[in-house]
Amino acid sequence: MRRLALILAMISCIPLIVTYAFADDYTLGIFGNADMDGKIDERDIECVRDIIKGSNDETELADANRDGKIDESDIVQIEKIIGSEQEVLHILDGNGNPVAVKTPVQRIIVLYKDSPEVLRALDAADRIVGVSDYIKQWDAVLFPEISKLPSVGHFINPDYEKILSLNADVLLVFGSTRVDEMQKQLPGVTVLFLGLYNPDLIGAEQSRYKDGVKKLGYILSKREEAEEFINWRDYWLNTIKSRTDELSEDEKPLVMNIHYRPGKELQISCTGYKTYQMTSIAGGRDIAESAYNCDTYTNVNLEWLLTQNPEIILAQLYYEYTKHGFNTDDPSETAAGRDDIMNISVLTNCSAVKDGHIFMMADNFRNGGDGCLIGTAYLAKWFHPDLFDDLDPKAIHQEYLTRFQHLNYDLDEQGVFVYPPVKS
């Protein structure tokens, strides 16, 4: 019934609450999207005309200029949006709150690696004028030019004076909780949370990530680039899902996702964390589902763990503890970490250790613009090598770096992103 109602809304402009979706019922969260579909076009103009005439009810996004009424001025605004000529674009941010973005946007500050990756995929990285300390410290190889830009401090607690000194138009923030506070401290700068850190692989119909990419396409007049990137992402995600969706529960290996921090207490990823989504899409059963239904990750109960028997252990690496990813071409530290995990006493008798099914995964694959998709491809190959005998995760990874990140980077010669290496 919900799908039917949403389809009818696209046709007849029935008023609806905005949702984030990318199936037939996807609603692009930009004011001016009067017919509540996935784009702004001539149909929205016709929808507004029908609302003005009284032949259709008002919709949530029909007030394109947000002046409190729906009239001819909204048609003018929609025409400007279609032609990328609007002076202000009114959108719903990643929290579902209305935000007015003055355009054109030429000067952007980014606080976490997800934002510059997406901007580079949209050919808009030249608009970045400032970055956080985190990007400068850990992502100099991934962002050879961007990382040289002025720093605005910590990615969660940035320096407001430095941000203001850079005359930024937009600040793309990492988290969703301090947007109002930052906006008060940054007059003249649009503080924008788009949810680019969240992959939303399972609930694609609730994907803030993809919605955020599309909104940036409109904000930056990069709609074609945004569509190209999203279509590429969807192709590989759907390719993997179409195969793993056919697996029975017995055919899915039991997987334990841990956060590898040498010398520290063992931590497990919870069901609310990205690695749970990646594991599920790749055709695995996450061990956390039976006991760890929280948002991120937590210390593991060792007595509980002794009663479990994971068939695969995935270890997420941290730049702070292990040299890997873009920051080294030498796998020795990652290999040593794998050996360390195999000698953890509570794990020595589990199937994963006995069978050598312990896989190390780079920090990049739970962070960044589209790391989770690429990480999922590697996981699918590990979990089901026969089912994905024709899938080459490294080729997907290489295409992303070359085509969308415009990097001269050869994965055959550079970097340590997974260990042991995945066979093509």
Side-chain angles (χ1 to χ4, degrees):
M1 292 298 294
R2 177 177 176 272
R3 177 178 294 274
L4 176 59
L6 286 164
I7 292 173
L8 289 172
M10 295 178 200
I11 298 172
S12 60
C13 300
I14 294 174
L16 289 169
I17 296 172
V18 176
T19 59
Y20 292 95
F22 269 82
D24 294 338
D25 54 2
Y26 165 59
T27 299
L28 174 67
I30 296 178
F31 289 89
N33 182 20
D35 66 357
M36 307 290 281
D37 66 359
K39 59 184 177 181
I40 296 178
D41 56 18
E42 295 294 332
R43 292 179 60 189
D44 296 295
I45 294 175
E46 294 303 316
C47 190
V48 170
R49 285 182 176 143
D50 289 340
I51 292 171
I52 294 172
K53 289 188 298 184
S55 56
N56 278 317
D57 294 329
E58 295 183 8
T59 62
E60 189 79 17
L61 299 174
D63 186 6
N65 59 7
R66 298 208 71 229
D67 64 353
K69 57 184 181 296
I70 299 175
D71 54 21
E72 291 292 331
S73 66
D74 294 303
I75 293 176
V76 173
Q77 171 72 353
I78 294 170
E79 289 173 339
K80 289 182 178 180
I81 295 173
I82 292 173
S84 297
E85 298 173 344
Q86 77 284 341
E87 296 178 0
V88 178
L89 189 68
H90 298 275
I91 71 168
L92 294 172
D93 70 3
N95 291 323
N97 297 321
V99 177
V101 183
K102 293 181 180 180
T103 58
V105 171
Q106 300 294 350
R107 299 178 65 82
I108 304 171
I109 293 175
V110 294
L111 296 185
Y112 202 68
K113 67 176 73 177
D114 51 358
S115 297
E117 279 194 56
V118 171
L119 290 173
R120 196 155 57 180
L122 302 188
D123 291 331
D126 58 339
R127 306 190 201 188
I128 301 173
V129 297
V131 301
S132 67
D133 289 342
Y134 185 95
I135 291 172
K136 297 179 76 70
Q137 180 178 5
W138 300 113
D139 295 313
V141 178
L142 175 59
F143 304 117
E145 300 302 326
I146 295 171
S147 61
K148 296 175 184 177
L149 294 171
S151 171
V152 296
H154 194 272
F155 70 97
I156 295 177
N157 298 299
D159 187 319
Y160 297 130
E161 289 187 8
K162 288 184 178 179
I163 292 173
L164 291 171
S165 72
L166 292 174
N167 298 313
D169 300 314
V170 168
L171 172 68
L172 289 176
V173 298
F174 167 73
S176 62
T177 58
R178 299 181 56 214
V179 175
D180 290 343
E181 173 194 336
M182 290 185 180
Q183 190 63 77
K184 290 177 182 178
Q185 298 294 329
L186 297 169
V189 180
T190 300
V191 178
L192 195 54
F193 169 72
L194 291 175
L196 299 177
Y197 181 69
N198 303 295
D200 302 316
L201 298 175
I202 293 177
E205 71 280 359
Q206 300 295 327
S207 180
R208 288 192 301 191
Y209 175 84
K210 290 166 60 175
D211 192 47
V213 172
K214 290 201 72 167
K215 286 171 184 171
L216 277 177
Y218 277 83
I219 291 168
L220 304 174
S221 297
K222 293 286 186 179
R223 297 177 211 176
E224 291 184 5
E225 291 85 350
E227 289 296 331
E228 179 185 358
F229 180 47
I230 289 170
N231 289 341
W232 175 84
R233 182 185 192 269
D234 282 352
Y235 172 80
W236 287 115
L237 181 60
N238 292 333
T239 294
I240 295 170
K241 289 177 67 174
S242 67
R243 300 186 191 182
T244 59
D245 281 349
E246 300 299 319
L247 295 172
S248 68
E249 288 301 298
D250 291 340
E251 292 175 302
K252 299 176 182 180
L254 186 62
V255 180
M256 178 182 178
N257 282 287
I258 66 172
H259 291 243
Y260 179 63
R261 308 172 306 151
K264 295 184 178 293
E265 193 168 355
L266 187 63
Q267 288 189 328
I268 187 172
S269 297
C270 303
T271 56
Y273 201 60
K274 303 173 181 183
T275 48
Y276 174 81
Q277 294 192 29
M278 295 164 66
T279 297
S280 299
I281 296 296
R285 292 177 293 128
D286 197 312
I287 197 172
E289 196 160 30
S290 65
Y292 289 92
N293 296 313
C294 49
D295 288 338
T296 53
Y297 43 87
T298 186
N299 294 339
V300 65
N301 183 307
L302 299 183
E303 291 184 3
W304 170 84
L305 185 56
L306 284 170
T307 68
Q308 307 301 306
N309 185 29
E311 300 166 78
I312 292 175
I313 294 175
L314 294 176
Q316 286 79 53
L317 298 171
Y318 286 79
Y319 283 134
E320 294 91 332
Y321 301 112
T322 307
K323 283 187 177 181
H324 69 282
F326 290 100
N327 295 333
T328 185
D329 302 331
D330 181 1
S332 60
E333 281 197 25
T334 302
R338 183 173 181 270
D339 291 340
D340 184 29
I341 292 170
M342 295 186 74
N343 290 314
I344 295 176
S345 59
V346 293
L347 299 175
T348 53
N349 291 320
C350 72
S351 296
V353 171
K354 290 179 178 179
D355 297 335
H357 291 165
I358 298 177
F359 304 108
M360 315 294 280
M361 189 168 62
D363 178 277
N364 306 80
F365 294 153
R366 58 182 176 82
N367 293 307
D370 221 344
C372 290
L373 165 66
I374 298 166
T376 300
Y378 280 106
L379 265 57
K381 190 77 170 186
W382 274 329
F383 295 175
H384 302 284
D386 294 334
L387 183 62
F388 291 101
D389 61 334
D390 59 340
L391 184 75
D392 187 347
K394 189 164 72 172
I396 299 172
H397 191 184
Q398 185 68 66
E399 182 180 14
Y400 175 72
L401 296 178
T402 304
R403 177 179 172 186
F404 294 108
Q405 295 303 302
H406 313 296
L407 287 175
N408 182 20
Y409 196 90
D410 186 352
L411 290 172
D412 287 331
E413 303 292 336
Q414 297 170 276
V416 179
F417 296 92
V418 294
Y419 190 87
V422 174
K423 295 180 182 179
S424 299

